[in-house]
Amino acid sequence: MKYFTSVNDIGNLQQAINEAKSLKNNPFAFEHLGKKKMLALVFFNPSLRTRMSTQKAAFHLGLDCMILNAFNDSWTIETKDGIIMDGKAGEHIKEAVPVIAQYCDIIGIRAFANLQDRDEDYNEILLNSFKKYCDIPIISLESSIRHPLQSFADIITIEEQKVVNKPKIVLTWAPHPKALPQAVPNSFTEWMKKASVELDYEFIITHPKGYDLADEFYSNCTIIHNQDEALEGADFVYAKNWSSYTEYGQILSKDTSWTINTHKMALTNNAKFMHCLPVRRNMIVTDDVLDSSQSIVIQQAKNRIYSAQTVLKRILESM
Ligand code: CP
């Protein structure tokens, strides 16, 4: 593996899940692999889980790790070609990326959507510039349109927690005060589509009208606009807010009747509640659901270590 930027890089899901579970049982089994190698984590946006879980994964593999908080510690980086740099940006991506690559063996990069220019976001400009301007392995720590390490951790968690052979998984939109990117629902959807084929999952998306995802993710999905109907018999409820794709970056609804509460959970098959975190309490989900034994958000966060470790291990093995 050289790149991990989407579900297309993971291969057979069951094999990847088994590998992650094996690392969870014996985290230091491959600590020789990363010795004398350096991982750089470059963050253009804040992070708690991604930063700490990837560092922990690196530690298990004997990798050293350096972190650049590019959003406030570094120079503002220009990505446009041929531009006269007389504005805010002090460094061009054409120098920044190859320089970072001099200092490390693998780069992880987080670069969120700006929610201003849909084409720019959906072309994953920053992530692809890292691929273009250096020749070392690249891991997405959440791009403008995908969060594959999160989705991999989510699927590991579902496999650990499922009590039926064909679990029904419902991705539900929920309200939020700010406009959020579509990266998590896009990514979760593409991983669930693969899981529907390879692991026999049933996958349903529910959201208010106007919150359709981009076709490349949304096509061939079952969509139910009535949230209560969608939640009936669910084994897993994955709540997430996202802003509109069609009216790009806009908040079309803050309807709190979409908040996940005990009445919503009562419609399910004693479902487990999932969210990638951070989560807005009593907007996305009520305290009594999040604080209940049905919530598996902490287990999800723990599995971020093993999704990252599986990916880093595969990269190190192919170097
Ligand atoms: N879920 C997730 O990626 O969390 P952070 O933004 O804190 O890294």
Side-chain angles (χ1 to χ4, degrees):
M1 182 186 281
K2 181 165 183 185
Y3 297 124
F4 181 74
T5 60
S6 84
V7 72
N8 297 325
D9 299 315
I10 198 66
N12 179 280
L13 272 181
Q14 193 61 63
Q15 278 174 18
I17 291 160
N18 291 346
E19 204 171 325
K21 284 182 175 175
S22 162
L23 289 170
K24 191 169 182 177
N25 286 332
N26 197 357
F28 290 100
F30 295 88
E31 66 180 324
H32 59 283
L33 275 181
K35 283 276 181 285
K36 299 189 178 169
K37 291 205 165 52
M38 181 66 77
L39 169 68
L41 302 178
V42 181
F43 287 92
F44 287 89
N45 313 93
S47 169
L48 187 161
R49 279 143 291 272
T50 304
R51 174 180 170 139
M52 297 185 78
S53 63
T54 310
Q55 272 186 287
K56 183 77 186 268
F59 169 67
H60 286 158
L61 291 166
L63 264 169
D64 220 328
C65 188
M66 52 169 73
I67 293 180
L68 180 67
N69 293 316
F71 66 96
N72 59 10
D73 287 355
S74 179
W75 307 103
T76 301
I77 292 178
E78 178 60 62
T79 56
K80 291 192 174 64
D81 261 345
I83 195 163
I84 298 170
M85 288 176 59
D86 60 354
K88 194 173 157 217
E91 177 152 28
H92 203 281
I93 192 96
K94 285 184 177 179
E95 286 78 53
V97 171
V99 167
I100 293 168
Q102 304 307 305
Y103 307 145
C104 59
D105 303 283
I106 305 170
I107 300 176
I109 172 196
R110 164 166 284 198
F112 287 176
N114 61 26
L115 295 179
Q116 305 295 315
D117 181 331
R118 190 169 82 179
D119 286 343
E120 200 173 286
D121 288 342
Y122 273 73
N123 283 321
E124 297 181 291
I125 300 285
L126 269 169
L127 176 67
N128 285 322
S129 297
F130 274 70
K131 283 178 161 178
K132 185 174 173 185
Y133 295 122
C134 75
D135 193 35
I136 66 173
I138 303 289
I139 300 172
S140 167
L141 304 175
E142 185 170 346
S143 78
S144 43
I145 59 167
R146 290 184 176 88
H147 196 356
L149 284 176
Q150 179 66 52
S151 306
F152 185 15
D154 296 337
I155 214 162
I156 296 165
T157 313
I158 291 169
E159 283 297 299
E160 287 176 339
Q161 299 280 341
K162 72 180 185 186
V163 291
V164 294
N165 285 333
K166 186 180 174 70
K168 176 178 173 180
I169 292 135
V170 178
L171 170 64
T172 178
W173 180 94
H176 195 281
K178 293 167 78 174
L180 298 187
Q182 295 108 29
V184 169
N186 283 346
S187 205
F188 188 69
T189 297
E190 67 179 1
W191 285 70
M192 285 299 110
K193 282 162 73 167
K194 188 170 167 72
S196 301
V197 175
E198 295 183 20
L199 304 173
D200 202 24
Y201 289 5
E202 181 186 359
F203 178 57
I204 289 172
I205 305 176
T206 184
H207 60 72
K209 295 225 166 98
Y211 281 99
D212 301 24
L213 299 172
D215 260 356
E216 64 183 291
F217 301 99
Y218 206 59
S219 60
N220 302 318
C221 287
T222 304
I223 316 297
I224 299 176
H225 290 295
N226 181 320
Q227 190 193 42
D228 288 0
E229 188 188 325
L231 291 174
E232 270 172 34
D235 299 294
F236 294 88
V237 174
Y238 197 113
K240 185 72 184 80
N241 175 267
W242 62 92
S243 60
S244 174
Y245 172 76
T246 45
E247 292 182 50
Y248 193 61
Q250 300 301 305
I251 296 174
L252 307 180
S253 170
K254 291 185 185 174
D255 182 355
T256 52
S257 73
W258 283 76
T259 299
I260 297 297
N261 58 28
T262 52
H263 302 293
K264 301 282 183 184
M265 292 301 282
L267 299 169
T268 70
N269 180 31
N270 197 27
K272 298 295 185 190
F273 175 82
M274 301 181 75
H275 189 280
C276 59
L277 303 181
V279 68
R280 297 269 183 153
R281 282 177 174 259
N282 304 308
M283 284 294 297
I284 299 283
V285 57
T286 54
D287 285 337
D288 43 12
V289 172
L290 195 55
D291 294 333
S292 77
S293 59
Q294 282 178 273
S295 171
I296 54 170
V297 296
I298 305 304
Q299 290 92 325
Q300 274 177 273
K302 178 165 183 171
N303 282 330
R304 291 294 307 275
I305 301 168
Y306 307 104
S307 63
Q309 193 171 339
T310 304
V311 167
L312 287 169
K313 171 178 168 281
R314 286 182 174 193
I315 289 173
L316 288 166
E317 283 170 337
S318 61
M319 286 171 82

